[in-house]
Amino acid sequence: MSVAAAQSVRTEPVTTGLWSVLWVAASIAVIGVALVPTSTWTQALLGVVGLLIVIALRPVAHVTSLRFVMLATASAMVLRYWVWRATETLPGWDSPLSMTFALALLATETYTICIFFLTCFMTADPITRPAAPVVSARDLPTVDVLVPSFNEPASMLAITLAAARNMHYPKEKLRVVLCDDGGTDQRMNHEDPKIAEQAIARRAELQKLCADLGIIYSTRERNEHAKAGNMSAALERLDGDLVAVFDADHVPARDFLARTAGYFVTDDKLFLVQTPHFFLNPDPINRNIGFIDSCPPENEMFYGHTHLGLDRWDGTFFCGSAALIRRAALDSVGGFSRETITEDAETALDIHSAGWKSLYINRAMIAGLQPESFVSFIQQRGRWATGMMQMLILKNPLLRGGLGMTQRLCYINSMSFWFFPVIRMVFLIAPLLYLFFGLEIFVATYPEVIAYTITYTLVSFVVQNALFNKTRWPLISELYETAQAPYLSRAVFKTFLSPRSAKFNVTTKDETLDEDLISPIARPLLVLFVLLAAGVVMGGIRYVMFPGDREVLQIVGGWALFNFVLVGAAMQCIHEKQQRRGAPRVAMAEPADLALAGSPERPLRGVVLDASNSGVRVSLPMSDDIRPGHVVEGAPIAFRPLLEDAPSLSHPIKGSVRWSRKSGQEIILGLEFAKGQPWISAETIGHMIYGRSSRWARMRERYFTEIGLVGGIVYVVRLALRGILRTSAALAAEPARRRRAAQASGAIVVELEDLLPSAPAFEDYVDPISASFVRAKEERTRQPDAAATGFQGGDPRFVLPASMLAGE
């Protein structure tokens, strides 16, 4: 089953006129039902009936008409809840403090309900686009491929650049440009001699890399306006019809342009074709918590579902990479936008305002890397939150000319999503106000809570599960938000106070972690966990001491317990797991030749079982030429994948044997690529791992595994129990780990609590810690690599010495 089928969406939307009639009719019906006054027990009956209708329609929600009925029913239940909350549950001004906090909670719930309605609107009729039209080669537009870079290693850039150069496209119409912001004149003349030295060396290395690969090298005088300024500087010397953008770690498949460029030939008003971002490694929340493999990655909810809905309303926006943009549209708004630190979405907003159109293709044709550490993940998400808040303040789409109403709603939906850190913190803290201080911020009887709140909550969960069941499991969104909320809420507040002061920080993507450890930014999440644990305990104490409050305590205590479960599961994020491999492995079955001494004219045929940018695992059948013990660790070896679909990209790669073992009638070898070999080998590695987008399509299909609402809730509860136990054990072991690390390095021993900063500003704790990860990595890279330095070259066939084949 294809990804499109798994998502159950159609290739053509319902006509605009019919949709307008449906939305008006449904809105009138929903508002009418919501405003009808009823008794509590009548409301309970309505709530149960509405919930049963939603549950009954959930299995057939892929049918557009039935999904519409389900959403309309749910909307009526949700709106009835909001009317009741706004008119009957506030404490009154005789208790000003309680009323103030009650209004704050109501405002927060109002926000979530508005997001609910926007989500229903966006996902009511998602579509997938048909394949790009077939266009004659002579009619294809010229394409300039931009690969912006700042601090990424040359080995990573080589793979991306080689893959971009070898995309299926007329060579005379394709130019690839490395936009290097790490080797600018400003950095080469920096007052810090170390920075200047690194910039000089970087420019020389990357200029040679580009010369070897036939790539254009571009840099500029000064580092201004971050990524947007970097790419705009390169465009000043280019004149292609289209501009493709790939981040330094986003390696394109060969069919990227073949599947996207044709759209621009048939639609002169099209400015953007955006494709999904697909990642080879799990994000730190996924990895540290330990989600099972069938749990869909966090980004799939956006790229696998939400963006299909945005595309229905011409709301697809530029996501910074894996996109193709019309140069004329860029020029019409003065190039890549630079007013915020999210130049991608801002650029799309500016171009949409100028009357251009966009579309989204739900096929992953790049593969990239996510941050490895929780620190880097929070830094990345903090940048996204800050940029979207900047756009909302400085370029509010509701006040902007040139946009259609549905486009305004799309952008508002995307921007307002990033309020979630503040919203989540309000929901986490709110029950504590009653448990600790006795503040009444939600006045309701037990029957009213059942009639309104319980049915509203269950309807919301069922609808969410129906809409996103294959791309987001129940409570996983809440878990991700909880993990980020204590950190990103600072970024949101700071942006509102000073929207123009934000700075663009590059996220490190090739980190490694030598051992399990507690994250240096653990304190905010730990403090939140302790507060919620204390709240649950206080609820138990109040239940025993104040029998008259037990009805209220059952409600508020249940809310606090739910929050405690979420934070308990999220707390595993701070327990960083060992990750020594800087490049993730990709499973495959690629035929390859290995050259062995004694028979260089008859290489051994093997199969590549998996590969990364730094090495491969190869299976060889046992024979007279190779038996257990023939190949020794550290031995140099030549390896050449056959690449039957692209033989011109098949080049020999130097390497060394890291390990070998017998498996049945086969010998399994772990090979590490040697450093310092010709950059042309990047073509081979790039195509072997990244060249076929069908590989990513198959991997995405495996993600779309459905789980029911009850099963999802049980799964999160299990994660919470495991998370509390494991993280507590890790916290207890952390001081000893720090002492061992300090003794090994000769550093001063510092206790755990001294290394968990409580910085008042977002950048104050993120940037220095990110720098410490970079310094640690630099120290590791200075150590000699025994496997790499053991290779001394020699025969161009890289034949193994005969001494390696003596004996078993």
Side-chain angles (χ1 to χ4, degrees), residues 3-4 7 9 127-129 274-276 300 303-305 308 360-364 700 704:
V3 171
Q7 292 307 104
V9 294
I127 62 170
T128 56
R129 299 283 181 169
Q274 180 64 56
T275 69
E300 280 296 345
Y303 287 112
H305 195 103
L308 300 173
Y360 175 71
I361 304 301
N362 189 25
R363 183 182 179 90
R700 291 184 79 203
F704 297 111

Side-chain angles (χ1 to χ4, degrees), residues 293-565:
D293 292 340
S294 57
C295 183
E298 183 238 8
N299 60 294
E300 280 296 345
M301 181 175 174
F302 177 71
Y303 287 112
H305 195 103
T306 301
H307 223 126
L308 300 173
L310 294 175
D311 194 27
R312 165 66 179 88
W313 305 109
D314 195 23
T316 294
F317 60 87
F318 178 34
C319 298
S321 182
L324 196 57
I325 306 172
R326 191 183 295 274
R327 175 66 186 272
L330 268 178
D331 290 343
S332 71
V333 297
F336 291 101
S337 303
R338 310 175 187 183
E339 195 166 355
T340 73
I341 62 173
T342 49
E343 83 296 328
D344 43 15
E346 182 190 358
T347 299
L349 176 62
D350 289 344
I351 299 178
H352 267 138
S353 300
W356 296 83
K357 299 190 298 184
S358 60
L359 61 83
Y360 175 71
I361 304 301
N362 189 25
R363 183 182 179 90
M365 290 177 284
I366 63 98
L369 299 176
Q370 299 195 85
E372 285 289 354
S373 71
F374 188 52
V375 172
S376 295
F377 180 84
I378 291 299
Q379 183 186 42
Q380 179 194 69
R381 298 309 167 94
R383 185 177 73 241
W384 294 356
T386 297
M388 284 300 195
M389 291 298 100
Q390 286 181 303
M391 287 178 60
L392 185 62
I393 297 168
L394 303 176
K395 295 190 172 184
N396 193 314
L398 293 178
L399 307 176
R400 197 171 175 84
L403 295 175
M405 180 53 66
T406 58
Q407 288 179 315
R408 297 176 195 273
L409 293 176
C410 287
Y411 275 106
I412 283 294
N413 181 66
S414 300
M415 294 175 190
S416 60
F417 165 79
W418 290 98
F419 281 113
F420 82 80
V422 177
I423 301 302
R424 183 58 54 186
M425 288 300 294
V426 171
F427 283 139
L428 291 171
I429 298 300
L432 302 183
L433 296 176
Y434 177 79
L435 295 174
F436 286 134
F437 309 110
L439 296 179
E440 292 190 84
I441 59 176
F442 190 121
V443 180
T445 65
Y446 201 74
E448 287 175 332
V449 169
I450 294 176
Y452 287 94
T453 306
I454 299 299
T455 54
Y456 154 72
T457 303
L458 291 176
V459 163
S460 299
F461 276 133
V462 173
V463 168
Q464 183 186 54
N465 188 235
L467 294 177
F468 304 111
N469 56 350
K470 295 182 185 299
T471 55
R472 180 59 53 84
W473 285 4
L475 297 184
I476 297 299
S477 288
E478 287 79 2
L479 199 159
Y480 267 88
E481 292 179 4
T482 300
Q484 299 173 73
Y487 306 93
L488 301 193
S489 53
R490 295 184 177 122
V492 172
F493 280 123
K494 185 174 181 180
T495 304
F496 266 88
L497 293 175
S498 181
R500 297 184 184 276
S501 64
K503 296 180 180 179
F504 188 101
N505 294 310
V506 178
T507 306
T508 302
K509 298 291 183 63
D510 59 339
E511 295 172 305
T512 57
L513 299 172
D514 292 331
E515 58 182 341
D516 289 6
L517 53 86
I518 295 297
S519 173
I521 59 170
R523 175 171 286 180
L525 205 52
L526 283 177
V527 170
L528 184 60
F529 176 78
V530 171
L531 277 175
L532 291 175
V536 172
V537 172
M538 181 60 69
I541 294 173
R542 290 179 68 96
Y543 191 86
V544 173
M545 295 181 63
F546 303 102
D549 292 346
R550 287 181 178 177
E551 187 174 279
V552 176
L553 283 167
Q554 289 174 2
I555 299 168
V556 180
W559 184 4
L561 184 62
F562 173 78
N563 289 340
F564 178 74
V565 168

